[in-house]
Amino acid sequence: MSETEFLETAIDAARTAGSVLLEWQDRFTVSEKNRSDLVTEADLESQEVIASLIGQQYPEHGLLGEEGLEKSDGGSGYRWIIDPLDGTGNYVHGIPYFAVSIALECDGDLAVGVVLDPTRDEFFTAVRGQGAHLNGQRLSVSADRISSLEQALVMASLPVGVESSDDPAIARFLRVLTVAQHTQRTGSAAMNLAYLAAGRLDAFFSTSLKPWDMAAGALLVREAGGRVTDLSQAPFDISVPSLLASNGSDVHRQLAALL
């Protein structure tokens, strides 16, 4: 089995799941059900179709998904990491900044990653050692254009339900806000990482992510020439919520010093 074959499976699964999300979103305006219920149903159906397609192709592989999905790899060494809907808040409010994210780990290393923006039909894909692509076109981070934090567009993920301005996550956000050219919170880690890989933004940080939020996107950034670590610049670990991703320029060091 080749990584190219795995990528094709991930693309097929993401495409099917993206169609599910768009179909469910259309129902919001014609249903009397609570929107949160509809989103839950959309999320679950999206994950179901991904898990079913992968399970048919590779029944021996492990699965890890946001909606309570966990299946052992049975010693195969392969684990698919799935976020069937990243950017739930945007999705429920009709903001077109959400994604399907699918990654494949091989013996603990990220090997394949796909982030699909179904509203724009943008497929961000990466295969270990083969670069990152958007709809087949090679991607590259912005390091040749942006080399300092003062020039940079920085995205952040903040924890849900922050109770006061004293929260450390808020303090970090405000420190970056005073230095970077632009600092924003968008609501989708997978999209942020995909956009970073595409050179559309320059850095992204968070301390509240789960493996499925960042697995595919982290590989995209690496394969596009960027850098992914934790906030202290220690090696990236998918099981640790601390994430600092950048275009690999001095922006990374400057952000780490602030954070």
Side-chain angles (χ1 to χ4, degrees), residues 167-221:
D167 189 286
I170 299 296
R172 282 188 292 268
F173 183 84
L174 293 175
R175 285 201 297 273
V176 176
L177 185 67
T178 62
V179 180
Q181 187 176 80
H182 300 287
T183 308
Q184 300 179 16
R185 180 194 187 196
T186 60
S188 173
M191 288 288 286
N192 290 345
L193 289 165
Y195 273 37
L196 175 53
R200 296 174 180 176
L201 58 96
D202 312 302
F204 170 57
F205 69 92
S206 179
T207 56
S208 57
L209 300 180
K210 300 294 186 182
W212 45 81
D213 296 316
M214 52 186 173
L219 184 63
L220 282 167
V221 172

Side-chain angles (χ1 to χ4, degrees), residues 98-250:
F98 58 88
V100 178
S101 177
I102 302 173
L104 174 64
E105 270 186 338
C106 178
D107 295 324
D109 292 328
L110 294 169
V112 172
V114 169
V115 173
L116 167 65
D117 174 356
T119 66
R120 298 175 182 81
D121 198 29
E122 288 193 328
F123 261 106
F124 300 85
T125 62
V127 174
R128 179 177 52 188
Q130 298 181 33
H133 296 81
L134 168 56
N135 293 347
Q137 299 297 310
R138 188 74 177 245
L139 293 178
S140 181
V141 294
S142 63
D144 60 334
R145 297 179 284 107
I146 305 296
S147 59
S148 72
L149 190 53
E150 290 78 7
Q151 302 171 299
L153 170 57
V154 180
M155 295 295 184
S157 283
L158 300 177
V160 175
V162 173
E163 294 184 355
S164 79
S165 59
D166 294 331
D167 189 286
I170 299 296
R172 282 188 292 268
F173 183 84
L174 293 175
R175 285 201 297 273
V176 176
L177 185 67
T178 62
V179 180
Q181 187 176 80
H182 300 287
T183 308
Q184 300 179 16
R185 180 194 187 196
T186 60
S188 173
M191 288 288 286
N192 290 345
L193 289 165
Y195 273 37
L196 175 53
R200 296 174 180 176
L201 58 96
D202 312 302
F204 170 57
F205 69 92
S206 179
T207 56
S208 57
L209 300 180
K210 300 294 186 182
W212 45 81
D213 296 316
M214 52 186 173
L219 184 63
L220 282 167
V221 172
R222 283 176 175 170
E223 289 296 323
R227 186 180 179 195
V228 185
T229 68
D230 73 2
L231 262 60
S232 68
Q233 301 189 76
F236 171 67
D237 183 340
I238 198 170
S239 65
V240 177
S242 176
L243 172 75
L244 174 57
S246 78
N247 63 9
S249 72
D250 198 48

Side-chain angles (χ1 to χ4, degrees), residues 1 3 6 58-63 71-81 103-112 128:
M1 292 180 288
E3 289 178 348
F6 293 142
Y58 311 110
E60 73 281 9
H61 288 190
L63 298 168
K71 173 179 174 288
S72 168
D73 68 8
S76 69
Y78 291 103
R79 181 174 70 154
W80 295 84
I81 304 171
L104 174 64
E105 270 186 338
C106 178
D107 295 324
D109 292 328
L110 294 169
V112 172
R128 179 177 52 188

Side-chain angles (χ1 to χ4, degrees), residues 1 5 9 12 51-61 80:
M1 292 180 288
E5 179 185 325
T9 298
D12 288 345
S52 175
L53 196 152
I54 291 173
Q56 290 171 18
Q57 293 281 335
Y58 311 110
E60 73 281 9
H61 288 190
W80 295 84

Side-chain angles (χ1 to χ4, degrees), residues 76-93:
S76 69
Y78 291 103
R79 181 174 70 154
W80 295 84
I81 304 171
I82 300 160
D83 193 338
L85 172 54
D86 187 75
T88 305
N90 292 338
Y91 177 76
V92 73
H93 288 285

